[in-house]
Amino acid sequence: MAAIWVTALVRALASGTVVVLASVLAELLGPVWGALIVSLPVSAGPAYLFMALEHDTDFVAGAALNGFAANAATGLFLTVYALRASGRDLGSTLGPATLAWLAVAIPVSAASWTPLTALGLNALVYGAGTLATRQAVRTSLVRSAVVARPRPVDLLARATAVALFVAVVLAVSSALGPARTGVVAAFPVTLTSTFVILHRRIGGCSMARLASIAIRGVFGFGLALLTLHLTVQALGAAAALCAALLVSLIYSAGLLILQRRPSPKEPGIVTR
């Protein structure tokens, strides 16, 4: 029981930290950095770490495979958000994206998966999402000359709010049973919190770009889960977790290198 609360606390603090960091970087440096940071397994990583401490490698391998399949729901969530963000308020964008996530996550949680079928589902969802949002990615948005820098008290408020939100979600999910808990735990808490914080500050166009880039980044998180599933029984939990993290970091670094450098004449982000 103590381990459950420690896991919840670590995930809450990690999510709060990454959301604050992503929101600040997105405001100061542009959506690319914000998207890549929220795509990293910062909040999910502690959950798998404590899972490996409490269970054997067979359990961790199965959880990683199911998590990889459920990662497709996050891809649809991001695609819907990216397509609706420009010119719409937060509620009109985040609501349909959340419903899209549920439409995929619920049936995915009830199915049996192999690495090949889970990879096929992710490739289909993220491939379609990449094509559907390619126009948002091409719209380069760079740092504005005048940026509203957040105050330290603002950063503390953001971190506290996100940490409490994650803690509440995990506490509620623990009482729902294993099947429903898997669905709730797979919800993209860090992404949702980032969108709530930034949508009104940097506007729908910038958020559409952030979400469209995150589509490419979160696919890398899925590959990290696939790596964990394939290696944990052969290498052991510690080495497999390190290998999964390395895959995620290399993938995100590659995306950053491949991003088109914007022209100085292109418009910048204006925070609100």
Side-chain angles (χ1 to χ4, degrees), residues 54-72:
E54 290 196 357
H55 300 281
D56 58 21
T57 55
D58 289 339
F59 185 95
V60 176
L65 179 59
N66 289 332
F68 179 39
N71 192 56

Side-chain angles (χ1 to χ4, degrees), residues 139-152:
T139 305
S140 295
L141 295 167
V142 298
R143 181 171 51 181
S144 173
V146 179
V147 179
R149 297 179 181 274
R151 299 173 299 172

Side-chain angles (χ1 to χ4, degrees), residues 28-265:
L28 299 182
L29 300 179
V32 174
W33 281 97
L36 293 180
I37 290 174
V38 296
S39 301
L40 294 174
V42 177
S43 63
Y48 282 95
L49 173 61
F50 282 95
M51 188 185 303
L53 293 175
E54 290 196 357
H55 300 281
D56 58 21
T57 55
D58 289 339
F59 185 95
V60 176
L65 179 59
N66 289 332
F68 179 39
N71 192 56
T74 303
L76 185 59
F77 169 87
L78 288 167
T79 300
V80 172
Y81 186 94
L83 292 176
R84 294 184 59 85
S86 297
R88 291 186 174 90
D89 60 24
L90 177 64
S92 300
T93 306
L94 190 58
T98 303
L99 291 176
W101 181 87
L102 288 170
V104 174
I106 293 176
V108 161
S109 67
S112 298
W113 298 95
T114 66
L116 187 60
T117 56
L119 178 61
L121 177 63
N122 275 265
L124 176 63
V125 172
Y126 284 94
T130 298
L131 291 175
T133 62
R134 62 187 183 277
Q135 186 59 44
V137 173
R138 290 172 182 168
T139 305
S140 295
L141 295 167
V142 298
R143 181 171 51 181
S144 173
V146 179
V147 179
R149 297 179 181 274
R151 299 173 299 172
V153 66
D154 296 330
L155 301 183
L156 179 60
R158 292 181 191 182
T160 302
V162 173
L164 289 175
F165 176 69
V166 174
V168 169
V169 170
L170 293 176
V172 171
S173 67
S174 299
L176 297 178
R180 294 179 180 176
T181 295
V183 175
V184 176
F187 184 77
V189 174
T190 301
L191 288 167
T192 301
S193 303
T194 301
F195 294 163
V196 170
I197 290 172
L198 285 181
H199 196 101
R200 292 185 179 90
R201 289 187 61 85
I202 68 175
C205 291
S206 296
M207 290 305 298
R209 178 161 166 76
L210 188 151
S212 62
I213 296 171
I215 291 171
R216 293 138 179 85
V218 175
F219 181 74
F221 170 64
L223 295 180
L225 290 178
L226 178 60
T227 300
L228 179 60
H229 168 74
L230 294 175
T231 61
V232 66
Q233 291 173 315
L235 301 179
L241 286 168
C242 291
L245 178 60
L246 183 62
V247 166
S248 181
L249 291 174
I250 292 174
Y251 183 89
S252 294
L255 287 181
L256 183 61
I257 293 172
L258 293 174
Q259 283 300 309
R260 181 169 69 92
R261 293 185 178 276
S263 166
K265 297 182 179 179

